Amino acid sequence: MNCPSCLNTLFADAEECPACGFSLAVAATRFGAVPRYGVHVTDTTYEELTNHDFNRIKARCESFEKKFPESRFSVFITRLLPGQSAREYAFYVFNRCQFTRMTDKLGKNFGLLLLINMTARETSLMAGYGLESMLSEEALEKILDAGTVKFRAGKLAAGALLCINQAESALMASAKIVTAKLEGVTI
């Protein structure tokens, strides 16, 4: 994982980034109280998603979870204050809100959180440490890229659905590679 503030390598057991000092405590000071959230979909703006779009995203997140029972995909839409970082806030929300089971810590956390900041029209995708071997930083960027055009056009549900589809495809491809290696097959 990379530090959400300075993007230097951050190890699972590090209390703070050795390069910039960013930590969960720093994020808590910066962002304050933990927001109200739903397991699969949260819209703290209460206006960006129609009920229909909310339900479409929720159903797709639930479908994702059925394919990957150890994992969970969550979408979080908010408006940050100008100058606040979507990456830092995603880190904060991912670690403070229980999108995955309480016991899913460090290498056992297989959650994915797509955060959409409507203020700066920026997105961030956080993956639990358990997914690091399957989804590189480049793979996470590719997942975000899948929805970028839709996000920029204000079509949040369409962008989120594309990101979920791309994440599913990336995990399926990674699972095939792992299976092939275990079976001694060259791909």
Side-chain angles (χ1 to χ4, degrees):
M1 175 184 173
N2 291 340
C3 171
S5 187
C6 71
L7 301 179
N8 281 304
T9 301
L10 187 63
F11 297 100
D13 58 351
E15 290 292 320
E16 66 180 34
C17 175
C20 72
F22 184 79
S23 67
L24 201 49
V26 169
T29 301
R30 200 168 285 169
F31 298 114
V34 175
R36 290 177 47 163
Y37 63 93
V39 172
H40 292 106
V41 186
T42 302
D43 180 2
T44 66
T45 70
Y46 299 104
E47 62 186 37
E48 294 298 337
L49 293 177
T50 65
N51 284 338
H52 175 72
D53 285 343
F54 182 97
N55 289 326
R56 285 176 52 213
I57 295 170
K58 182 179 181 216
R60 186 62 185 93
C61 288
E62 290 169 346
S63 170
F64 179 91
E65 196 171 334
K66 286 180 183 171
K67 282 192 178 177
F68 304 101
E70 294 296 319
S71 189
R72 178 170 291 151
F73 198 109
S74 300
V75 177
F76 194 99
I77 301 167
T78 193
R79 281 197 183 93
L80 296 175
L81 294 174
Q84 289 183 323
S85 163
R87 280 193 316 266
E88 290 177 4
Y89 192 65
F91 173 82
Y92 176 64
V93 169
F94 189 80
N95 285 284
R96 285 290 191 228
C97 300
Q98 291 299 318
F99 292 109
T100 58
R101 292 177 293 280
M102 295 281 285
T103 57
D104 292 348
K105 301 289 182 193
L106 299 176
K108 294 183 180 183
N109 186 329
F110 296 96
L112 286 161
L113 172 66
L114 170 63
L115 185 122
I116 304 167
N117 173 18
M118 297 307 297
T119 305
R121 297 280 183 189
E122 64 179 332
T123 58
S124 181
L125 183 63
M126 291 291 303
Y129 285 111
L131 290 175
E132 279 191 345
S133 64
M134 299 178 83
L135 295 174
S136 65
E137 290 291 327
E138 293 79 24
L140 294 175
E141 286 299 319
K142 187 175 178 182
I143 292 167
L144 276 178
D145 288 347
T148 297
V149 171
K150 296 294 184 185
F151 292 138
R152 287 188 182 145
K155 297 179 180 181
L156 302 185
L161 293 171
L162 287 170
C163 287
I164 298 167
N165 292 343
Q166 184 66 36
E168 186 174 288
S169 295
L171 286 173
M172 294 295 283
S174 182
K176 286 179 185 175
I177 291 169
V178 169
T179 301
K181 285 181 182 178
L182 291 173
E183 294 174 353
V185 176
T186 304
I187 296 181

